[in-house]
Amino acid sequence: MATEAQIRLKIADAIASAEANPDFGGEEICRHAVDVIMFYFGVTCAYQHCGGFDSSGYSIDCYAIAYVTERGRIGIYDYQYESY
């Protein structure tokens, strides 16, 4: 089973690759990261929209990506998607 550091690094890599797709929003980016973690490490992983802020010309959505660590604990990776 993967270490927490390995999982976090793979989430960051998956997010970076998904952000390169201009058709992806926050939901698609997080879904991609979850799919990558489940594929590579076979651990339970899920994401949840946690709220955000929306105004004229700017919005931010906050997400939490949760995963199970090698010691059976829950790890959390936070992600903010900004759009202008």
Side-chain angles (χ1 to χ4, degrees):
M1 184 173 266
T3 67
E4 184 167 5
Q6 290 171 318
I7 293 172
R8 292 183 68 79
L9 181 60
K10 186 59 87 174
I11 290 172
D13 288 344
I15 286 172
S17 70
E19 285 178 332
N21 184 336
D23 295 330
F24 277 13
E27 293 281 332
E28 293 86 2
I29 291 168
C30 289
R31 177 81 252 153
H32 175 72
V34 165
D35 290 345
V36 166
I37 296 308
M38 292 174 69
F39 176 79
Y40 277 95
F41 301 119
V43 299
T44 301
C45 187
Y47 76 93
Q48 182 67 45
H49 182 260
C50 300
F53 173 79
D54 191 16
S55 70
S56 176
Y58 176 77
S59 76
I60 185 166
D61 288 298
C62 302
Y63 298 89
I65 300 172
Y67 51 90
V68 178
T69 69
E70 76 277 9
R71 294 186 176 173
R73 297 181 183 200
I74 295 175
I76 303 288
Y77 187 101
D78 64 290
Y79 174 68
Q80 297 81 40
Y81 180 77
E82 297 180 32
S83 56
Y84 303 91

